[in-house]
Structures are given as structure tokens and as C-alpha cells.
Amino acid sequence: MTDIRFGYFPLTVDDVDAALAFYRDALGLVVLNDVSGNGWRWLSMGIPDQPGVVLVLSAPGAGRSPDDADALARLIAKGAGPGPVVFATSDLDAAFERIRATGAEVLQEPMDQPWGPRDCAFRDPAGNLVRINGTA
């Protein structure tokens, strides 16, 4: 049997502070690390009862060449970044209302999907797609 676990998911955002407010205030993640230097910054965020599962938010220029940063920034501006990032909750309707109340952009209200889950969707301030799955 393989001993492999999910470590972290990097997510590029155009404004780390705006992303921080969304993932902390709307979704309830906590900041694990806030690291900066030479004009770049990244945050690692997690869920307190899920140690070891980390979302890393960084600006396009963090750790990349200027050409790569420019190309990535153009993708983010078009809403074509990686993802979706998918979270799960036992109370989808309450999570949806809490997130919507923060002013997050709603893409889809809670609904049953033909492939199984009941879910909803938002965009984070950078335009990344965030889905929330309901769990039984």
C-alpha cells in the first residue's frame, strides 16, 4: 500500500490581501504562514481540524520568472486560472448563505448535480472558481 497524502494546493491570485479576506472571512480558513520578501508574498492557509491540508495563495510573480508571471497574470485576468478548488461541508445551505453574505460573487446557488453531489459555486476575488460540495 502506498503512503501518500495530499500536501498543498497552490493557487495564484492577483491580490493576496483580497484573497486572504475571502478564504479567511467567507470560508473560515486560518493563516498558517505569511511569508514575503523582495516584492513577493505567499500565504499558506488551512482548516484547523484538517492538519496537513494546505491552500497556498501567491501572486503571479512569487517564485516565477517575469515572463511566466506575466503569462500567469493574463490567465488569471481572463478567469482561466487553475481549479476549481473544491471544499466540502455538512451544511451546504448555511455555508452558501454565509459566503454570499460576505459579498462573494455567486456563480451557482446550491443544486443537485447529475454526477452526484449537491453543490454551489463562487469566484474568489481573483476570479478563481471555488465549489462547495454538500456531504451527507
Side-chain angles (χ1 to χ4, degrees):
M1 176 170 249
T2 302
D3 179 19
I4 190 165
R5 293 175 280 159
F6 180 80
Y8 66 90
F9 181 82
L11 186 62
T12 306
V13 296
D14 60 350
D15 182 332
V16 172
D17 286 319
L20 167 63
F22 175 78
Y23 287 97
R24 181 193 57 210
D25 302 339
L27 294 176
L29 277 66
V30 297
V31 174
L32 303 173
N33 280 303
D34 186 343
V35 181
S36 61
N38 294 328
W40 54 264
R41 179 177 175 211
W42 57 264
L43 295 173
S44 61
M45 303 188 75
I47 298 171
D49 64 353
Q50 283 189 305
V53 179
V54 179
L55 178 67
V56 179
L57 304 173
S58 67
R64 297 179 182 90
S65 72
D67 287 345
D68 289 348
D70 290 344
L72 192 51
R74 287 192 301 275
L75 287 173
I76 293 169
K78 292 168 48 175
V85 178
V86 182
F87 294 90
T89 180
S90 61
D91 191 343
L92 181 64
D93 294 311
F96 175 79
E97 293 303 332
R98 186 184 70 250
I99 296 166
R100 177 165 58 184
T102 68
E105 179 185 357
V106 176
L107 296 179
Q108 175 207 301
E109 295 195 8
M111 64 179 286
D112 293 325
Q113 296 294 348
W115 56 87
R118 183 167 182 266
D119 70 356
C120 63
F122 296 89
R123 285 210 188 277
D124 76 8
N128 294 299
L129 176 58
V130 175
R131 299 197 76 84
I132 315 289
N133 285 351
T135 60

